[in-house]
Amino acid sequence: MEFVFAARVIEWRGPSPYWFATVPDEESAHIREVAAMATYGWGVIPVEARIGETVFTTSLFPKDGGYLLPLKNAVRKPRGLTAGDDVTVRMTVRL
């Protein structure tokens, strides 16, 4: 299951800051259809994602009926990404 979408980078400030790209509603709906087959627990969904030339693996976090794509510092910092930036994401759900 592959997707290409535009997303805005958001920052979550907990005990330490985290950055995410919000998966759009349409793509989130498709992911929910296969979530039971893909999740390995707690509702997280394993994915391979690409932003620009950077490819990385991570897991989507469920949030308010949709999903958040975590942006590791190794992905975010070289591209200078911060809260409010728009990114294009290519993503494959790993079933």
Side-chain angles (χ1 to χ4, degrees), residues 55-74:
V55 178
F56 58 103
T57 58
T58 190
S59 294
L60 301 177
F61 291 11
K63 174 82 167 116
D64 299 331
Y67 293 94
L68 298 175
L69 174 68
L71 300 177
K72 302 173 183 179
N73 283 342

Side-chain angles (χ1 to χ4, degrees), residues 1 4-6 8 11 13-14 27-28 30 39 49-50 54 57-58 62-63 71 79-81 89 94:
M1 179 173 265
V4 177
F5 57 88
R8 177 144 298 157
E11 181 180 8
R13 291 198 159 267
E27 287 79 0
S28 290
H30 291 300
T39 189
R50 174 189 290 264
T54 306
T57 58
T58 190
K63 174 82 167 116
L71 300 177
R79 302 192 60 78
L81 297 174
V89 178
R94 296 170 39 208

Side-chain angles (χ1 to χ4, degrees), residues 25 36 38-40 65-66:
D25 292 341
T39 189
Y40 55 85

Side-chain angles (χ1 to χ4, degrees), residues 15-58:
S16 58
Y18 292 93
W19 286 265
F20 299 92
T22 304
V23 178
D25 292 341
E26 183 178 339
E27 287 79 0
S28 290
H30 291 300
I31 294 166
R32 278 193 306 275
E33 292 174 6
V34 299
M37 293 184 296
T39 189
Y40 55 85
W42 307 287
V44 295
I45 308 293
V47 298
E48 179 178 277
R50 174 189 290 264
I51 296 176
E53 297 303 315
T54 306
V55 178
F56 58 103
T57 58
T58 190

